[in-house]
Amino acid sequence: MAQYLLSIVQPVGEVPPPEDLEPVMAQLAALNEEMQAAGAWVFAAALHQPEASTVVRADGDGVLVTDGPYAEAKEFVGGFDVIEAEDLDQALVWAGKLARVLGGLPVEVRPVAQTF
């Protein structure tokens, strides 16, 4: 089975209030349970907003550390799932279910080339 990264793309901005977010999180938990039962789920995580990031770059013999995202953008990867699927078509089915749970947020599907 191949692994696929399902990246959840969301707009930069305020986190929805709990009354809006809680039903989505419950549906997301149910989808994760469905993927686990099907043997597709490997790992999932939510990420903080881009301003919480730190960028590290090689700089000669040292490193340069800066606050904030690498690039300014209106959207960012807000979370991700790593799944196992027989092929891209099966991965796209899971991505479609994820996009529906997330109210239509885009989900980028990318095959994992290699694990270390």
Side-chain angles (χ1 to χ4, degrees):
M1 289 242 254
Q3 290 188 339
Y4 293 86
L5 174 68
L6 310 182
S7 300
I8 301 162
V9 181
Q10 67 185 65
V12 173
E14 295 291 322
V15 175
E19 60 270 12
D20 294 338
L21 195 56
E22 287 172 4
V24 172
M25 296 308 290
Q27 291 175 10
L28 188 56
L31 178 58
N32 284 339
E33 288 176 11
E34 180 183 349
M35 285 193 279
Q36 288 171 357
W41 190 87
V42 175
F43 180 77
L47 301 173
H48 287 280
Q49 295 269 334
E51 63 269 11
S53 64
T54 303
V55 178
V56 179
R57 292 183 179 90
D59 185 24
D61 291 335
V63 293
L64 177 63
V65 179
T66 56
D67 292 337
Y70 174 71
E72 294 293 323
K74 293 181 182 180
E75 297 177 321
F76 69 101
V77 176
F80 61 89
D81 286 75
V82 176
I83 64 167
E84 290 187 340
E86 290 293 330
D87 54 27
L88 178 60
D89 290 337
Q90 187 181 46
L92 293 174
V93 169
W94 288 116
K97 290 182 178 193
L98 182 58
R100 281 191 295 281
V101 164
L102 298 171
L105 289 178
V107 176
E108 177 187 324
V109 179
R110 188 179 304 185
V112 173
Q114 184 176 358
T115 57
F116 300 97

